[in-house]
Amino acid sequence: MEYENDFSLKEWAKDKPLSILQLDPADRAVLRIADERDAIQKKTFTKWVNKHLKKVNRHVNDLFEDLRDGLNLISLLEVLSGEHLPRERGRMRFHMLQNVQMALDFLRYKKIKLVNIRAEDIVDGNPKLTLGLIWTIILHFQISDIVVGQEPNVTAREALLSWARRSTAKYPGVRVSDFTSSWRDGMAFNALIHRNRPDLVDWRNIRSRQVRERLETAFHVVEKEYGVTRLLDPEDVDTHEPDEKSLITYISSLYETFPEPPAVHPLFDAESQRRAAAYTEQAAQHRAWLHEKCALMQDRAFPSTLIEMKKLLSESTRFRNEEVPLRQREKQKLFHQYRELEKYFETVGECDIEPTLRPEALEQAWSRLLMAHQERERDLTDEIRRLERLQRLAEKLHRDIKQTESGLDNVERHIETEIRRVERGVHPADAKMAAEQIEQELRSMEHTIQEMFQDALALREGRYPQANELHRRVQQIHDRWLNARQAFTGRLLPRLSSVRMPVQQTTVRRETRTVLETRVHDADPKFQQLTEAIRWCKEKLKKLHESEYGSDLPSVLHELDKHQREHKQIDQFHSKVEQCVHHRANFSGEELNLYNQHLSQLQKTYAELLSTSTKRISDLDALQDFLQSATAELNWLNEKEQVELSRDWADPHINLPAVQHYYEQLMSSLEKRELQFSNVIDRGESLIAQHHPATKTIESHLQVMQSQWAWVLQLTLCLETHLKHTTQYHNFFEEVKEAEKWIQKREEALNTTFSQSEFTLDQGERLLKGMQDLREELNAHGNNVSRIVEEAQEIRPVKQRRSPVTRPLRAETVCAYKHANIQIEKGSAVTVVDNSGRSRWRVRLGGAGTEVQLPGAVVALPPPCQEAIDAASRLRNAYDRVIQLWQRKQLRMRQNMIFATIKVVKGWDFPQS
């Protein structure tokens, strides 16, 4: 029943054996589709073969019949390869087999794989194997060339499909995913033509047409305008299952015509493209900033000095309070810009923005950044607290060392003095009292030294930079104490052992004096006032000895302000001392002696207090003066450092003349500032030589200043090197651009001025002369193109500094770098693992070394630059195309000159004989 109602099925089956009708309908449908596909292939391959055979005045009508003798097959291979092949001229089967075998051997010689194709199959006209042979030839001589210039391990089919996707990208309703159904509705063909020649296809109109009308339009336009052989008809494509091989053959012909889609998409107007490009560029910069800051927030390679840590915390606070709000406003503007783009592209097509640049992706990156910043700021605060504790401990240890050294000096002198006094016959009571005092001082020092050892150990465990030096000084003090102890027990005590002292009398006197002192103190308020004044002075003196000087300028200013108020109180306390002096008139006898002893102690303690306070003010003033100068120098150096670390050499809009001017000014400024910088260093070293009590703070600032100065000098080397590389990069592409414009103008001239088909003989002569002049220009320009192609090998991949690293990149350091435990020499080989941070990159040292964070300014990517090589290759291809175009135009012009001459001759009016 189905067979009777299906006319097309009857037509197909009428030439088939009757056994076909006995098959299941589904099996008959499969056979029918296969036969239709073979028929389309045969027609397509026949047209393709004839396209090449017409160059040698040959033609095939039936592909299966006209290739049997092998002559047409050999001629086809000669045209495709440009080589000459021998052939047999006879008409017998033997000659036909010889010719076909010759063709097959030639293909094998060309390393073309033939699967189960024998000469007998072609001579017998086997349809399947004949089509297979032609397809193999098409693959090798037409399609395989497409893979040239693409990524390695990519087949010709994949390369052709990739080209088709690029050429039809952003066209609504067009999705090229294969070589069958994606092309069936004709939209992809028309999109491909419109992308390259929007004047040939009305895109908005073509979408409303019928499928076969679209296909007919596309095939007709490229045949008429570019001479692309019409290998397919609309009905060959508008089928349930279009033939893939036929479509690949025809599409590869279109690839030869339109090898690379133009950069500007014709479907969208210039304004929309400008807005999309502007959003993409701004969003990419915003994303790069987010990645850079995220990488920075994850960096825990903190410096070991408190100054640098406070600088980091200050930068972190500034980042939170200033940079984050600014960037968040920038983010909101970007999101608004994206919404406007979405509204616009809804009416035209799709909003072609990379997924990682869309608002939702940027918002996720923001969340990661803010969380990482909170964690980093917490870690910075904890580390600063730890370093401040170590700094306070180091300052305390430094004071203890100085006090103990001074105490040891006194004990050593006291021991020697007492030895001489005993030898001269000093009163035994005085000698014994002095010995007890010395022993008490040594015992007190022993306890202090034990505490100093514990402090030095704590500094070592806390990785304090000068911990080893401080421990060495404590050890030296301990050795001196041992020597003093030995001198006391070995030299002084033996001399005192023979002295007899009236201990009872001394004890009575002491007890009497103690009772008298207690009675007077309890009974007389003036004596109480004197005692209270002594206590106040001692407490103030102790407090001054224990006071800190600060670790940076703000803390030193705080200490100075606080001590100025304290010093004012101490100075004003002089009136109370004077009152105690006047109260002396109220005592007499033993009470007066006792009062005078305490008054003498007060005057001595107050004098020491006043002197210590005055010296502290002087020390704080000197320290403040030095730190102000040092901080100013560091701020200047830090400013220059930040400029270089944040400089984006991959910025396409970088102002290189301005950078060159900045570099020259920077070198001049460094030269002028060196004297001022050295003066600050000298002042700091002078304070250290004078044993300033804040020596550790001064030393740490000097160390940071010297390392920062050396680092900025290294950064100037980076600036000079990157400026040279970037200038070469931009000059190269500017030269390529100018060369392409030059070629484009000559190409336009060839397609307009020298494409005239009708002209007079005089006009033709002028055109031919112009063609010859143009050829000489092209030949001269060829040397320039060759030079540019050679220079492309030396261009460094500047743009890749901003592009995300998909695989490790080899690189080199352009200057020396030292930070924490990292020390790298200039010219060291490194491997870039992650460059998402614009100022700091993650690199691997050596071959399989450890990964560290390095400033991006330190790293240079070596040549070649693939972008430069591709640009040079495009320039070379454009030059070759214009040369070929010149050859075609000149040949056509000569032909038109012949036609013009014939036309003139025909117009001659010869006299009739």
Side-chain angles (χ1 to χ4, degrees):
M1 188 68 181
E2 178 189 357
Y3 175 75
E4 292 175 355
N5 293 335
D6 193 339
F7 177 76
S8 60
L9 186 59
K10 287 183 181 180
E11 287 295 315
W12 170 75
K14 69 180 181 180
D15 295 328
K16 300 291 184 292
L18 292 176
S19 59
I20 288 291
L21 301 177
Q22 299 174 357
L23 294 174
D24 183 86
D27 294 335
R28 286 205 303 271
V30 170
L31 287 174
R32 177 187 172 189
I33 290 171
D35 284 349
E36 287 176 353
R37 188 180 299 117
D38 288 348
I40 293 172
Q41 275 187 27
K42 180 181 179 182
K43 182 170 71 170
T44 303
F45 291 176
T46 300
K47 290 179 180 180
W48 184 85
V49 169
N50 283 329
K51 179 177 77 170
H52 295 287
L53 286 181
K54 72 178 181 181
K55 299 174 184 177
V56 290
N57 297 322
R58 281 183 169 270
H59 184 81
V60 298
N61 294 313
D62 188 323
L63 190 66
F64 303 152
E65 288 295 325
D66 296 344
L67 294 184
R68 290 179 59 204
D69 61 3
L71 295 175
N72 284 327
L73 191 56
I74 289 176
S75 296
L76 176 65
L77 294 177
E78 286 179 335
V79 170
L80 294 172
S81 66
E83 300 181 30
H84 178 71
L85 301 178
R87 66 190 72 199
E88 295 288 338
R89 294 294 180 184
R91 305 293 296 174
M92 298 179 64
R93 179 178 175 83
F94 169 79
H95 298 110
M96 297 164 70
L97 287 170
Q98 282 288 96
N99 287 331
V100 173
Q101 189 61 48
M102 178 64 66
L104 298 181
D105 290 344
F106 176 76
L107 292 173
R108 292 189 179 96
Y109 169 74
K110 290 290 185 181
K111 309 296 183 186
I112 301 173
K113 188 176 181 181
L114 301 173
V115 180
N116 297 328
I117 299 178
R118 301 173 304 157
E120 291 85 351
D121 299 322
I122 307 304
V123 172
D124 293 339
N126 186 306
K128 293 285 186 186
L129 295 179
T130 301
L131 291 174
L133 176 62
I134 299 302
W135 174 244
T136 302
I137 293 171
I138 291 171
L139 275 177
H140 179 77
F141 287 101
Q142 178 164 321
I143 300 174
S144 64
D145 290 341
I146 295 171
V147 79
V148 176
Q150 302 292 332
E151 291 291 329
N153 303 322
V154 174
T155 65
R157 182 185 184 282
E158 291 169 344
L160 184 62
L161 187 61
S162 175
W163 165 81
R165 284 172 177 157
R166 290 199 314 273
S167 298
T168 58
K170 301 182 184 177
Y171 280 90
V174 178
R175 291 289 183 275
V176 175
S177 58
D178 52 40
F179 289 109
T180 53
S181 57
S182 297
W183 303 83
R184 182 180 174 184
D185 62 1
M187 294 296 291
F189 286 111
N190 283 281
L192 198 152
I193 298 168
H194 186 266
R195 178 66 187 274
N196 293 274
R197 286 287 302 275
D199 57 309
L200 298 180
V201 173
D202 183 352
W203 177 255
R204 299 185 187 276
N205 178 269
I206 205 73
R207 296 173 67 182
S208 61
R209 293 190 186 179
Q210 297 295 321
V211 170
R212 296 200 177 185
E213 282 186 76
R214 296 178 197 152
L215 291 166
E216 176 62 34
T217 300
F219 298 157
H220 173 73
V221 165
V222 291
E223 183 179 33
K224 177 185 176 184
E225 295 293 330
Y226 292 96
V228 177
T229 303
R230 187 177 177 133
L231 302 180
L232 296 169
D233 292 318
E235 58 270 19
D236 299 335
V237 182
D238 184 22
T239 64
H240 182 65
E241 291 188 16
D243 179 58
E244 183 179 60
K245 293 178 181 178
S246 300
L247 278 167
I248 289 176
T249 304
Y250 183 65
I251 293 168
S252 64
S253 301
L254 297 179
Y255 169 82
E256 293 176 348
T257 306
F258 308 120
E260 192 64 34
V264 178
H265 200 294
L267 190 60
F268 309 120
D269 56 41
E271 175 61 20
S272 65
Q273 291 193 67
R274 185 195 64 76
R275 288 165 60 187
Y279 173 83
T280 300
E281 181 180 359
Q282 293 172 26
Q285 292 176 357
H286 195 79
R287 180 185 62 182
W289 177 85
L290 286 168
H291 286 177
E292 175 193 358
K293 296 305 177 184
C294 249
L296 175 63
M297 296 306 155
Q298 291 166 1
D299 181 18
R300 293 298 184 272
F302 293 150
S304 57
T305 64
L306 187 60
I307 299 172
E308 291 179 300
M309 282 301 298
K310 287 187 175 180
K311 174 187 168 187
L312 280 183
L313 184 60
S314 174
E315 289 174 355
S316 180
T317 305
R318 184 197 59 78
F319 173 77
R320 182 183 69 247
N321 296 335
E322 298 177 16
E323 195 167 356
V324 166
L326 183 67
R327 292 288 183 170
Q328 284 182 329
R329 289 194 293 272
E330 179 185 292
K331 178 189 71 172
Q332 296 305 322
K333 289 180 182 178
L334 272 175
F335 289 2
H336 176 72
Q337 202 174 339
Y338 183 83
R339 288 192 294 272
E340 292 297 316
L341 279 175
E342 278 189 321
K343 290 178 185 176
Y344 176 82
F345 281 103
E346 280 177 358
T347 60
V348 182
E350 57 182 327
C351 185
D352 186 41
I353 301 295
E354 185 182 337
T356 56
L357 299 179
R358 293 179 180 175
E360 54 272 17
L362 295 177
E363 198 64 70
Q364 290 175 1
W366 263 102
S367 299
R368 291 193 296 270
L369 172 62
L370 294 177
M371 186 176 297
H373 175 261
Q374 289 178 355
E375 294 174 356
R376 177 181 170 83
E377 200 161 66
R378 184 189 65 234
D379 292 345
L380 280 172
T381 304
D382 292 345
E383 180 66 9
I384 286 174
R385 287 175 183 156
R386 188 185 73 84
L387 288 177
E388 283 178 337
R389 286 195 298 271
L390 290 177
Q391 183 74 16
R392 287 194 295 271
L393 184 61
E395 290 174 356
K396 171 182 174 295
L397 180 57
H398 190 69
R399 289 194 301 271
D400 290 346
I401 287 172
K402 292 193 71 175
Q403 291 174 5
T404 307
E405 285 176 339
S406 177
L408 276 171
D409 291 341
N410 294 333
V411 166
E412 288 167 351
R413 284 195 300 270
H414 200 172
I415 290 173
E416 294 299 326
T417 301
E418 290 305 314
I419 290 174
R420 289 193 296 271
R421 288 178 65 197
V422 170
E423 289 175 348
R424 287 196 301 266
V426 70
H427 189 277
D430 291 341
K432 292 293 184 180
M433 188 182 301
E436 290 175 0
Q437 183 181 354
I438 292 172
E439 186 174 17
Q440 180 62 33
E441 288 177 354
L442 285 173
R443 191 175 297 112
S444 175
M445 282 184 190
E446 181 180 19
H447 177 69
T448 302
I449 291 172
Q450 289 175 353
E451 287 184 345
M452 287 195 296
F453 271 122
Q454 292 175 357
D455 292 344
L457 180 61
L459 290 174
R460 269 185 171 180
E461 292 174 348
R463 304 184 304 281
Y464 185 72
Q466 285 83 36
N468 291 332
E469 173 64 19
L470 289 170
H471 185 273
R472 184 183 62 80
R473 291 185 63 185
V474 172
Q475 186 63 51
Q476 289 176 346
I477 288 174
H478 183 253
D479 294 341
R480 282 186 64 189
W481 179 86
L482 289 175
N483 292 334
R485 181 75 179 175
Q486 180 63 32
F488 174 72
T489 57
R491 296 172 60 197
L492 179 58
L493 287 184
R495 287 174 171 79
L496 293 175
S497 61
S498 60
V499 177
R500 301 181 62 85
M501 182 175 68
V503 178
Q504 183 65 34
Q505 181 183 357
T506 303
T507 304
V508 170
R509 284 180 180 175
R510 284 181 182 172
E511 288 177 354
T512 303
R513 189 178 63 183
T514 303
V515 170
L516 177 61
E517 181 178 347
T518 303
R519 181 175 59 78
V520 173
H521 180 273
D522 292 342
D524 195 321
K526 293 181 176 57
F527 197 93
Q528 292 176 0
Q529 182 181 351
L530 174 62
T531 308
E532 180 63 27
I534 294 172
R535 186 192 62 77
W536 187 88
C537 288
K538 285 183 176 180
E539 286 181 356
K540 288 293 181 183
L541 190 59
K542 180 181 178 183
K543 184 178 178 182
L544 286 184
H545 284 312
E546 293 176 350
S547 294
E548 299 176 358
Y549 281 82
S551 57
D552 54 18
L553 183 58
S555 58
V556 170
L557 289 172
H558 173 72
E559 290 293 332
L560 178 59
D561 179 64
K562 184 172 72 173
H563 184 65
Q564 283 174 339
R565 295 192 300 270
E566 194 78 21
H567 182 72
K568 187 176 180 180
Q569 291 180 2
I570 293 172
D571 190 50
Q572 292 171 348
F573 193 76
H574 182 264
S575 60
K576 293 188 177 181
V577 176
E578 289 299 316
Q579 285 179 7
C580 292
V581 172
H582 294 319
H583 291 161
R584 183 170 50 184
N586 298 318
F587 296 92
S588 60
E590 285 295 325
E591 292 181 355
L592 178 60
N593 291 335
L594 184 62
Y595 189 87
N596 283 335
Q597 289 179 9
H598 281 75
L599 181 61
S600 174
Q601 183 182 1
L602 171 62
Q603 290 172 327
K604 180 181 178 182
T605 306
Y606 178 73
E608 183 182 357
L609 173 62
L610 189 60
S611 172
T612 303
S613 178
T614 304
K615 184 177 183 301
R616 178 172 170 80
I617 281 189
S618 175
D619 289 338
L620 283 169
D621 278 333
L623 182 60
Q624 175 208 3
D625 182 57
F626 165 74
L627 288 186
Q628 278 181 334
S629 301
T631 303
E633 296 302 311
L634 284 173
N635 288 341
W636 187 84
L637 291 171
N638 291 340
E639 177 188 341
K640 304 307 174 189
E641 176 194 18
Q642 286 305 313
V643 169
E644 292 315 309
L645 293 185
S646 60
R647 194 185 298 282
D648 184 7
W649 291 105
D651 183 1
H653 307 299
I654 188 171
N655 187 345
L656 290 175
V659 177
Q660 176 67 37
H661 180 65
Y662 172 82
Y663 169 68
E664 293 168 358
Q665 283 190 325
L666 176 62
M667 297 306 294
S668 175
S669 300
L670 283 168
E671 187 176 353
K672 294 175 183 176
R673 202 170 186 100
E674 186 174 10
L675 180 60
Q676 176 181 325
F677 187 85
S678 298
N679 288 337
V680 178
I681 294 289
D682 291 343
R683 281 158 57 193
E685 290 176 347
S686 175
L687 290 174
I688 294 173
Q690 296 167 15
H691 303 290
H692 192 284
T695 294
K696 291 302 172 184
T697 298
I698 298 169
E699 285 177 344
S700 64
H701 274 78
L702 289 177
Q703 180 184 356
V704 173
M705 283 179 67
Q706 289 165 340
S707 73
Q708 192 69 356
W709 179 268
W711 170 230
V712 169
L713 289 180
Q714 292 296 322
L715 284 176
T716 60
L717 177 59
C718 298
L719 171 59
E720 180 185 10
T721 305
H722 288 306
L723 180 60
K724 175 185 173 184
H725 294 164
T726 309
T727 302
Q728 290 174 342
Y729 174 89
H730 284 277
N731 287 346
F732 172 82
F733 282 100
E734 189 62 32
E735 199 169 1
V736 169
K737 185 178 178 181
E738 291 299 321
E740 287 176 337
K741 283 183 181 178
W742 189 93
I743 291 173
Q744 186 178 3
K745 287 181 179 179
R746 273 59 186 176
E747 192 172 2
E748 289 174 358
L750 287 170
N751 285 324
T752 55
T753 306
F754 298 107
S755 291
Q756 301 177 38
S757 58
E758 294 185 4
F759 43 73
T760 65
L761 289 179
D762 290 341
Q763 291 173 334
E765 289 294 338
R766 286 195 296 272
L767 288 172
L768 283 174
K769 185 179 184 306
M771 286 284 286
Q772 191 58 37
D773 293 342
L774 180 58
R775 181 55 192 261
E776 291 175 2
E777 289 182 19
L778 288 169
N779 290 340
H781 195 68
N783 296 330
N784 187 42
V785 171
S786 299
R787 178 183 58 79
I788 290 174
V789 171
E790 289 179 7
E791 289 179 359
Q793 299 294 330
E794 302 302 321
I795 302 299
R796 292 181 178 253
V798 173
K799 191 175 179 180
Q800 197 168 14
R801 296 181 67 84
R802 182 186 284 185
S803 304
V805 174
T806 56
R807 55 183 176 79
L809 297 174
R810 64 183 184 87
E812 61 187 8
T813 55
V814 295
C815 72
Y817 178 72
K818 183 178 180 181
H819 177 73
N821 297 324
I822 306 170
Q823 186 166 353
I824 302 173
E825 297 300 323
K826 176 186 175 184
S828 300
V830 298
T831 303
V832 179
V833 180
D834 180 15
N835 67 340
S836 59
R838 191 175 301 169
S839 63
R840 300 188 73 82
W841 292 2
R842 190 157 52 90
V843 303
R844 188 181 303 125
L845 303 181
T850 56
E851 289 188 4
V852 298
Q853 292 273 351
L854 285 187
V858 172
V859 182
L861 301 178
C865 171
Q866 189 60 45
E867 183 188 10
I869 292 175
D870 292 343
S873 177
R874 286 196 304 271
L875 179 63
R876 168 61 71 184
N877 292 338
Y879 177 76
D880 292 342
R881 282 199 306 272
V882 80
I883 290 292
Q884 294 170 4
L885 179 62
W886 182 92
Q887 293 170 344
R888 292 198 302 271
K889 294 296 182 181
Q890 197 219 29
L891 177 61
R892 187 168 297 176
M893 186 170 289
R894 290 188 177 279
Q895 291 172 347
N896 290 335
M897 276 291 288
I898 295 173
F899 296 147
T901 305
I902 293 173
K903 186 176 181 181
V904 169
V905 171
K906 284 183 177 181
W908 287 350
D909 188 10
F910 291 102
Q912 298 292 327
S913 58

